[in-house]
Amino acid sequence: MNARPARPQRTHRSGPRPPSLAGNLWTLAALLLLLVLSAGSALLRLGPFNEVANLGIAAVKALLVLTVFMRLKTDNALLRIVASTGFAWLAVLIALSLADVLTRQPLLAPW
Amino acid sequence: MSARTHPVPEQFDDPVQQREAATLGMWAFLATEVLFFGVLFAGYTLCRVMFPEAFAEGSRHTDMLLGTIETAVLLTSSCAVALSVREVQLGGRRAATAMLALTAALGIAFLVMHGFEYYAEYREGLIPAIRYTQQGVYARGMEIFYCLYYFITLFHSLHVTVGVLLLGVMAWRTWHRAFDQDYHTPLELTALYWHLVDIVWIFVYPLIYLVGRSG
């Protein structure tokens, strides 16, 4: 008597729509442009900003691949959480390791 | 096996839930892959903090032009595999197979170029424990840089090799109508794996090839 109403049968077609061809090709163009920018900026004398530019551009490229090619922008929100978890733990790993190395002081033997 | 008769296993309500479970599992695996390579990157970061000049000197011995071309090849391959999934979703079996074959070919091109790099480094005596002939103040620090370089790039190349094999299988299955608009989860998961291999390389490129280039 309290039978659940049958859920409508969903198929792949009811999932996120495939991204447009132009969207994919523009993303590739942006990635290649960022690659040229990255190689070019590495040859300029920018001091510590060389590293900022190198890693900043790499992060933007990775975000483009994650959001457009891997469809995190349109897919299930749970996938975005799982994806960010991997990178968040990596940030913790690197931050804590650096905190150790950068603040370690040689201790003299107490005898 | 025809995709149209592909049954939904009984633990799933419908194909969408099946796909969600599969992609969630794949992303959990990819998170472990991020941490697998992350350990190598963390090791790289610590050693670079300790030997900054030696790492810059080591990086200047790598082939920046070839590294840039390899990056462009992998970025293009990522776009190609994304387009192959799109084509399958739109019902274009022939174009999808062609895109998968192109992706696999670009992956093989990447491996060949890397092979040339390794050979050049062997001739230059830059392979620690096998043929390392560098002298000078930075020789020991550069040895650490090249140890990390080989660990990171060899593990990455191993992933590329696995990816190429998977892409070959997916191209074969796509051509033989295993996937269509209603069922293409294995293809989607293979594409996710390939994109992650690409993301790893996106970070390898500046950390290995671009250090100390302006000096």
Side-chain angles (χ1 to χ4, degrees):
Chain A
M1 42 199 271
N2 285 331
R4 286 163 58 193
R7 287 174 63 172
Q9 181 74 197
R10 301 178 298 170
T11 68
H12 270 294
R13 296 180 212 220
S14 58
R17 288 194 53 73
S20 71
L21 177 64
N24 272 322
L25 293 179
W26 276 114
T27 307
L28 175 62
L31 285 168
L32 293 176
L33 187 71
L34 285 167
L35 172 63
V36 172
L37 202 66
S38 178
S41 73
L43 299 174
L44 302 174
R45 274 178 187 274
L46 302 174
F49 287 100
N50 272 125
E51 206 46 48
V52 175
N54 281 347
L55 290 178
I57 292 173
V60 173
K61 284 198 299 202
L63 274 176
L64 276 174
V65 173
L66 284 164
T67 53
V68 183
F69 289 162
M70 298 173 98
R71 302 185 182 184
L72 279 183
K73 194 173 140 198
T74 50
D75 217 327
N76 200 338
L78 185 58
L79 299 183
R80 285 197 283 275
I81 296 173
V82 176
S84 18
T85 311
F87 290 100
W89 281 116
L90 173 60
V92 170
L93 171 70
I94 292 178
L96 289 184
S97 310
L98 270 180
D100 173 22
V101 171
L102 293 177
T103 59
R104 195 185 289 174
Q105 292 189 346
L107 291 177
L108 292 175
W111 57 84
Chain B
M1 181 181 67
S2 166
R4 283 167 190 81
T5 59
H6 182 81
V8 178
E10 61 180 321
Q11 67 267 35
F12 299 115
D13 284 346
D14 54 35
V16 174
Q17 194 191 41
Q18 185 188 8
R19 176 192 171 270
E20 281 170 358
T23 44
L24 181 64
M26 190 62 189
W27 270 105
F29 168 68
L30 294 186
T32 68
E33 286 280 72
V34 167
L35 287 168
F36 172 82
F37 280 101
V39 171
L40 294 170
F41 284 123
Y44 171 96
T45 310
L46 300 192
C47 292
R48 189 166 154 193
V49 165
M50 287 191 269
F51 311 103
E53 291 89 2
F55 269 50
E57 186 60 27
S59 178
R60 281 193 285 271
H61 277 73
T62 58
D63 192 332
M64 182 179 162
L65 178 65
L66 207 49
T68 310
I69 296 171
E70 285 165 9
T71 313
V73 163
L74 276 194
L75 292 174
T76 311
S77 74
S78 238
C79 183
V81 80
L83 288 178
S84 79
V85 178
R86 179 181 180 276
E87 282 302 326
V88 165
Q89 282 187 294
L90 298 175
R93 178 178 66 100
R94 193 178 290 265
T97 310
M99 282 294 156
L100 283 168
L102 173 68
T103 311
L106 288 170
I108 292 169
F110 173 89
L111 289 172
V112 170
M113 282 190 277
H114 227 308
F116 280 118
E117 247 186 281
Y118 288 150
Y119 180 62
E121 281 145 11
Y122 176 78
R123 304 239 340 218
E124 216 183 316
L126 283 169
I127 305 184
I130 294 176
R131 192 161 186 273
Y132 192 77
T133 58
Q134 303 301 307
Q135 304 289 331
V137 277
Y138 297 133
R140 294 276 79 84
M142 273 173 66
E143 206 168 354
I144 296 176
F145 172 85
Y146 273 96
C147 269
L148 284 162
Y149 164 84
Y150 283 109
F151 269 111
I152 294 173
T153 57
L154 280 172
F155 272 122
H156 180 265
S157 295
L158 182 68
H159 280 75
V160 173
T161 310
V162 171
V164 166
L165 294 175
L166 287 174
L167 286 165
V169 173
M170 290 303 134
W172 174 264
R173 292 185 66 187
T174 306
W175 182 248
H176 287 90
R177 301 174 196 278
F179 308 123
D180 62 9
Q181 290 105 312
D182 288 328
Y183 177 74
H184 47 265
T185 306
L187 176 60
E188 237 183 319
L189 301 190
T190 306
L192 285 177
Y193 175 81
W194 189 257
H195 292 309
L196 188 93
V197 170
D198 186 31
I199 287 177
V200 170
W201 187 261
I202 284 175
F203 286 99
V204 169
Y205 173 65
L207 294 176
I208 296 292
Y209 295 90
L210 299 184
V211 187
R213 289 287 173 185
S214 60

